[in-house]
Amino acid sequence: MCSPEHFAVEYAINPWMDVTTPVDSQLAVKQWDRLRESLVGLGHEVHLLTPEQGLPDMVYAANGAFVVDGTVYGAQFKHEQRAAEAAAHRAFYESQGWRFIAPIETNEGEGDFAYLPDAHGGLILAGHGFRTELPAHAEAQEALGRPVVSLRLVDPRFYHLDVALASIDDENVVYYPGAFSAASQRVLTQLFPDAVVADAEDALAFGLNLVSDGLNVVLNSEATRLAGKLKAAGYHPVPVELAELKKGGGSVKCCIAELRH
């Protein structure tokens, strides 16, 4: 995770960003702190990336890389405003001794990749349509040695896979069908017949931008109906308020890069 002490909406690179809407940076830090404390309280270890002046979106740490079994597939950001973030993430992983693979193709890390180790023998789901380019899916498959299923995003409000779909355990997902092309919806139905399906209201409240450890599901507090569906499916919802960070187009998952050893 990376503190939002420099967070601001200084440019607009997704439909959620409005440069005329003020950001309360102190409140953003407080809300982010509560998210971090929630993870620690659930028994997880949190490593911190040092925020850098001039990179207001560094708080969205999930976008910097995608990690599977100790191998790191680095990010190559689409927009120049975020390009320098990639080097900061690479420095972190290399300092920790991770095997780092530098990308050639445009991709935004866990923003557009999700991993399910027990689904169909181990599967990567990959989004494209707005940020990550389709050739990056093939590059990730070669880098990580896992089959990659490409899913096309068609609604600009769901510009990353992680605002439209999330893994809730090692073999199942929750997603909003309307974010995907008709063909991709059919693929998801075939692969995950028992998936939890979200409605538009909870998707637009960033409810799908969540993190799960297989039991505890940390999600945006506004997604109340989705929390109920997850509870009915046997999970434990952990609601967190992140209103300030939503102004940049992100929520829980965007703030968390998962380190899979």
Side-chain angles (χ1 to χ4, degrees):
M1 297 180 71
C2 182
S3 170
E5 60 186 75
H6 301 307
F7 175 66
V9 179
E10 298 174 348
Y11 45 78
I13 57 173
N14 68 58
W16 302 96
M17 301 177 90
D18 180 356
V19 295
T20 66
T21 300
V23 170
D24 185 333
S25 56
Q26 288 186 323
L27 180 56
V29 171
K30 285 181 182 177
Q31 292 177 345
W32 177 88
D33 270 332
R34 284 197 286 270
L35 172 60
R36 181 182 54 80
E37 288 163 4
S38 295
L39 294 175
V40 173
L42 292 169
H44 301 292
E45 183 181 0
V46 178
H47 298 258
L48 297 179
L49 194 63
T50 303
E52 297 183 16
Q53 187 79 45
L55 295 175
D57 283 344
M58 269 189 77
V59 62
Y60 304 125
N63 303 152
F66 177 54
V67 185
V68 173
D69 290 347
T71 297
V72 183
Y73 174 55
Q76 179 93 286
F77 287 87
K78 179 180 177 68
H79 297 287
E80 62 178 347
Q81 293 96 329
R82 298 194 67 185
E85 293 178 39
H89 285 273
R90 178 173 187 167
F92 166 80
Y93 287 108
E94 290 183 336
S95 72
Q96 299 288 318
W98 295 75
R99 177 174 176 247
F100 187 92
I101 296 177
I104 296 172
E105 306 294 345
T106 298
N107 84 89
E108 299 200 347
E110 284 198 308
D112 275 320
F113 290 103
Y115 182 50
L116 293 106
D118 294 339
H120 308 279
L123 205 59
I124 293 170
L125 302 180
H128 69 101
F130 297 102
R131 296 292 184 86
T132 295
E133 301 287 346
L134 198 52
H137 295 187
E139 187 176 58
Q141 182 168 275
E142 287 300 309
L144 300 169
R146 298 288 185 279
V148 173
V149 175
S150 296
L151 301 168
R152 187 160 71 91
L153 298 162
V154 295
D155 186 330
R157 296 171 299 179
F158 304 101
Y159 61 94
H160 271 157
L161 183 70
D162 72 359
V163 291
L165 175 149
S167 62
I168 43 176
D169 57 35
D170 287 345
E171 56 186 348
N172 203 12
V173 299
V174 56
Y175 70 99
Y176 169 55
F180 298 93
S181 69
S184 293
Q185 290 181 40
R186 290 195 294 272
V187 169
L188 286 167
T189 300
Q190 182 176 335
L191 288 175
F192 304 103
D194 299 320
V196 176
V197 177
D199 60 25
E201 184 179 342
D202 282 334
L204 292 169
F206 283 84
L208 293 163
N209 195 240
L210 59 80
V211 166
S212 174
D213 60 15
L215 172 62
N216 303 291
V217 182
V218 185
L219 78 166
N220 195 290
S221 58
E222 293 178 34
T224 53
R225 193 152 39 196
L226 181 57
K229 287 183 179 180
L230 290 165
K231 189 171 184 179
Y235 300 91
H236 175 234
V238 181
V240 178
E241 170 62 54
L242 282 180
E244 290 306 299
L245 293 173
K246 274 180 62 183
K247 293 175 181 177
S251 189
V252 173
K253 175 57 199 169
C254 287
C255 294
I256 300 166
E258 294 179 59
L259 305 179
R260 302 177 186 88
H261 290 285

